[in-house]
Amino acid sequence: MTVSTATTAISTASAARRTDRRIRIARRAATPVIVVLSLGGLLLWLSTLELDSIEQRTLNWDYIFLRTGEHLNLTIVASILVAVLAIPTGILLSRTRSRFTRGFVLGLANVGQATPAVGVVILLAIIWQTGYTTALVALVIYSFLPVLRNTMIGLEQIDPFVKESALGMGMTSGQVLRRIELPLAVPVILAGLRTSLVFCVGVATIATFINAGGLGDMIVNGLKLQRFPVLVTGAVLVASIALLIDWVASVIEDVLRPKGV
Amino acid sequence: MPESTDTALTQIASRTDGARIVLDRVSKVYPGQDAPAVEEFSMVAEPGELIMFVGPSGCGKTTTMKMINRIIEPSSGSITIDGRDILSLDPSELRRHIGYVIQQIGLFPHMTIAENIAVVPKLLGWTKQRTADRVDELLQTVQLDPGTFAHRYPRQLSGGQQQRVGVARALAADPPVMLMDEPFGATDPITREKLQAEFLRLQESIGKTIIFVTHDFDEAIRLGDRIAVLSERSQIEQFDTPAAILAEPANDYVRSFIGQGAALKRLALIPVETAVLGAASAAVDHHRIATDDSLRDALDLLIVTGAPAIGVVDRSGTLVGSLTVERISTALGADATALAATRSDEGRLA
């Protein structure tokens, strides 16, 4: 009786695990499927339209590849810069005992994110210059906070006794950081980077206002010239990129998450 | 100076069978606090000795212990291991030669059990083969099958198994000194008793100098060679063998710590063979106790069975005598007299 109950329990558990895995695979596959379907739908719809000369100037492969490339370039370079700047800042901040420094830097990052991105871009363009670099700086300012905050949280949530035992076994504080703290903080830091990436994809559309290209060009042109197909294509492309980048980041998160955690 | 640091460390590290620890008027004052957490603490731990620090929480026992591996830096005083002043050594390198076990265990969750145990050997630059052999050996020492456990992660182990890994990890580089902060405090009573017994057996074979912090007086009696009963600011109220503290508590503070049943606790420390046995006869042979059991076990058997006397058998199982409640009580009295005698001898020598 007991044995059979135990067996049932085990088989239920493994069945639950199988279902779990199936759900996870389904969820994992959902995003690319949705993206492919909407892009396919878009293409199909465009092929049924008679495009006028204005639309033809925008809705051709060269133009679309160019703008998409610009958009991806802005997004990815900005995210790399954010990672390179915000992760070390987060590490330094989590080591400092000065409440003032922490408050000050976090406050600054908060302001960067709270200020509307359009405002930051336009202001920077007025006081500095227009073009790619300005758009990049605005993007970095805007998406700095999630990575900074997650780096700090990731390091602070580590069990203090894990750190104490690492020190007690004779690791230097640098070794504790590299071998214990950072690997354990990786999932949280990556989640911050993922948020930043998705932010960047959206905000990069406003680069068009300061002549820095990107898919914002298509959206704004479509609006201004009242060319509905152009507008829709730009919007669908931006949304697809955001979804795909988020998806890639989630896969990377799963791969880099330390085993055993 | 780095050269002398290296020689000092090598010397400490080579005393794998236990080193002498001397704390001399060690104090710890935290900035912004009037009263010191530890005040003028002096103690000598002999090589291979298992010393228990017992006291209520907040008395400074853990702080005192953590100054030995400099997790907490002393404010004043000196600490030497094997005659070497540890305050002049590099703290990280020093700690690689002092085993450290804490109640919360602190295994690294992202490393396998084998990787956890290999941390200190890796820091010391051991070869892969030597490290792997040592990991296998240690897992067997703490009774975990290497084949089953080496490649698991900490969260896949029970609390008791995790603490065994904690002990194995601390022993990895065969350090002369071990610091243990309530290592079995978080486990359930049955697991704790098992771990304590295993730990005693282990210490018999490795003979490290161990400072063991606990608030559980019964644990202190069970494990310690000597017990330091500590009060506020880590003041030593009494520092002696378990038997001596139970027989003659130095003051009311120590008495309150021992609690009820001091005589029973003492009986648990005295083996049956030290008692003067009565005649062996067939009449007492219904209930048997072995010579290497404790007098407490014998008393327990007398009470449970209600028999006036029980038989005592030696290792081979031959009946060698009998025990009664009176004889047990006489043995307890004789034990106290013997303790007093050694004490006055020591007094005369000093």
Side-chain angles (χ1 to χ4, degrees):
Chain A
M1 185 64 201
T2 333
V3 174
S4 76
T5 322
T7 326
T8 324
I10 290 170
S11 66
T12 320
S14 73
R17 219 171 306 136
R18 263 201 307 276
T19 327
D20 253 23
R21 228 179 107 227
R22 238 177 268 147
I23 291 174
R24 228 175 317 139
I25 291 172
R27 205 181 290 156
R28 170 86 357 120
T31 308
V33 169
I34 290 172
V35 169
V36 167
L37 284 181
S38 34
L39 287 179
L42 178 70
L43 212 60
L44 214 66
W45 175 59
L46 288 178
S47 66
T48 62
L49 298 178
E50 291 254 340
L51 301 178
D52 63 20
S53 68
I54 294 175
E55 287 166 344
Q56 275 171 9
R57 230 180 297 142
T58 309
L59 293 178
N60 63 70
W61 289 115
D62 287 348
Y63 185 88
I64 289 175
F65 277 131
L66 177 71
R67 292 294 171 252
T68 308
E70 282 171 352
H71 203 94
L72 281 176
N73 180 311
L74 267 175
T75 304
I76 288 167
V77 174
S79 298
I80 290 173
L81 281 175
V82 165
V84 169
L85 295 171
I87 294 175
T89 313
I91 293 171
L92 286 176
L93 274 195
S94 70
R95 316 240 118 190
T96 164
R97 295 227 181 98
S98 153
R99 275 239 180 102
F100 174 79
T101 320
R102 290 170 67 109
F104 182 76
V105 178
L106 268 178
L108 216 61
N110 240 324
V111 169
Q113 199 188 2
T115 318
V118 185
V120 177
V121 169
I122 307 288
L123 271 176
L124 270 180
I126 292 172
I127 59 173
W128 189 25
Q129 60 179 28
T130 56
Y132 177 79
T133 321
T134 310
L136 203 59
V137 171
L139 275 180
V140 169
I141 291 175
Y142 188 70
S143 50
F144 198 77
L145 185 67
V147 180
L148 176 73
R149 207 170 36 196
N150 276 37
T151 305
M152 293 172 70
I153 291 170
L155 291 174
E156 278 156 16
Q157 48 119 43
I158 296 169
D159 183 351
F161 296 111
V162 167
K163 286 187 267 186
E164 185 186 323
S165 74
L167 272 182
M169 294 171 75
M171 288 194 194
T172 62
S173 58
Q175 284 167 333
V176 177
L177 179 69
R178 267 176 285 127
R179 299 188 191 180
I180 310 294
E181 294 181 84
L182 283 179
L184 289 175
V186 155
V188 186
I189 297 177
L190 282 180
L193 258 174
R194 184 174 163 190
T195 311
S196 280
L197 269 167
V198 176
F199 271 9
C200 281
V201 176
V203 175
T205 50
I206 59 179
T208 179
F209 295 125
I210 56 168
N211 197 26
L215 290 167
D217 282 8
M218 290 182 81
I219 296 173
V220 171
N221 283 345
L223 274 172
K224 273 198 294 210
L225 307 175
Q226 301 200 353
R227 290 300 186 281
F228 196 58
V230 177
L231 170 64
V232 169
T233 307
V236 170
L237 279 178
V238 169
S240 300
I241 291 176
L243 282 172
L244 275 182
I245 282 193
D246 185 61
W247 179 77
V248 170
S250 78
V251 173
I252 293 176
E253 257 180 60
D254 276 0
V255 172
L256 290 187
R257 176 174 301 129
K259 288 192 199 93
V261 178
Chain B
M1 292 313 280
E3 209 181 59
S4 79
T5 300
D6 279 357
T7 30
L9 277 170
T10 322
Q11 187 183 336
I12 290 174
S14 67
R15 300 293 304 265
T16 52
D17 52 347
R20 182 186 167 98
I21 309 174
V22 180
L23 290 98
D24 187 25
R25 281 172 292 131
V26 177
S27 296
K28 175 68 192 179
V29 187
Y30 284 105
Q33 280 179 13
D34 297 334
V38 175
E39 191 173 14
E40 305 261 313
F41 184 94
S42 299
M43 171 179 281
V44 177
E46 299 299 340
E49 221 181 356
L50 175 43
I51 290 184
M52 311 292 291
F53 285 4
V54 195
S57 33
C59 75
K61 55 188 192 299
T62 301
T63 309
T64 309
M65 185 202 78
K66 285 184 179 175
M67 285 194 281
I68 298 174
N69 67 352
R70 295 175 64 190
I71 289 283
I72 295 173
E73 289 287 343
S75 310
S76 63
S78 83
I79 302 173
T80 62
I81 295 180
D82 205 30
R84 299 293 176 152
D85 173 22
I86 59 151
L87 298 176
S88 66
L89 304 177
D90 177 80
S92 298
E93 285 178 38
L94 167 75
R95 290 179 196 137
R96 291 169 199 171
H97 303 291
I98 299 180
Y100 189 52
V101 185
I102 55 178
Q103 183 183 351
Q104 300 80 1
I105 315 175
L107 293 182
F108 307 134
H110 59 304
M111 296 185 188
T112 62
I113 300 309
E115 288 167 340
N116 265 283
I117 298 176
V119 165
V120 179
K122 251 189 201 158
L123 288 171
L124 292 172
W126 287 19
T127 60
K128 269 198 179 143
Q129 192 53 50
R130 186 178 171 202
T131 308
D133 291 346
R134 181 68 180 153
V135 168
D136 271 16
E137 183 190 342
L138 280 167
L139 279 172
Q140 274 157 3
T141 308
V142 297
Q143 307 193 357
L144 293 172
D145 173 39
T148 316
F149 290 98
H151 300 293
R152 292 205 183 161
Y153 286 93
R155 72 182 169 113
Q156 296 168 302
L157 269 59
S158 71
Q161 289 169 336
Q162 287 191 19
Q163 195 50 283
R164 281 178 210 190
V165 176
V167 173
R169 186 173 68 164
L171 283 170
D174 210 3
V177 174
M178 297 263 286
L179 304 178
M180 308 183 82
D181 187 5
E182 304 206 19
F184 310 135
T187 43
D188 61 88
I190 295 171
T191 311
R192 189 182 315 150
E193 205 151 297
K194 213 167 152 224
L195 287 173
Q196 287 171 344
E198 276 173 27
F199 175 66
L200 267 183
R201 224 172 305 136
L202 181 63
Q203 167 66 357
E204 252 167 51
S205 62
I206 57 179
K208 306 290 182 194
T209 310
I210 301 177
I211 305 291
F212 190 121
V213 167
T214 182
H215 61 254
D216 177 355
F217 194 75
D218 291 321
E219 180 170 68
I221 296 172
R222 182 150 189 225
L223 301 179
D225 292 323
R226 282 197 288 169
I227 301 175
V229 182
L230 306 178
S231 60
E232 290 277 285
R233 291 169 287 116
S234 207
Q235 296 299 294
I236 301 177
E237 297 294 333
Q238 190 168 10
F239 183 35
D240 215 325
T241 60
I245 289 181
L246 286 171
E248 275 181 69
N251 52 36
D252 284 346
Y253 181 85
V254 177
R255 215 164 285 128
S256 76
F257 232 91
I258 296 171
Q260 300 291 316
L264 280 176
K265 289 174 186 172
R266 276 172 61 206
L267 283 179
L269 297 171
I270 309 172
V272 166
E273 57 197 351
T274 52
V276 182
L277 302 179
S281 69
V284 296
D285 203 18
H286 301 298
H287 308 291
R288 294 170 154 212
I289 191 96
T291 47
D292 50 359
D293 281 334
S294 74
L295 284 179
R296 185 178 180 153
D297 297 329
L299 183 64
D300 192 73
L301 189 63
L302 276 167
I303 294 166
V304 166
T305 57
I310 53 170
V312 177
V313 292
D314 65 8
R315 275 189 197 93
S316 60
T318 6
L319 190 68
V320 291
S322 66
L323 261 185
T324 58
V325 174
E326 290 86 273
R327 284 183 188 279
I328 291 175
S329 132
T330 312
L332 192 63
D335 182 64
T337 321
L339 267 172
T342 32
R343 182 127 344 177
S344 68
D345 275 357
E346 276 166 11
R348 228 171 293 142
L349 284 173

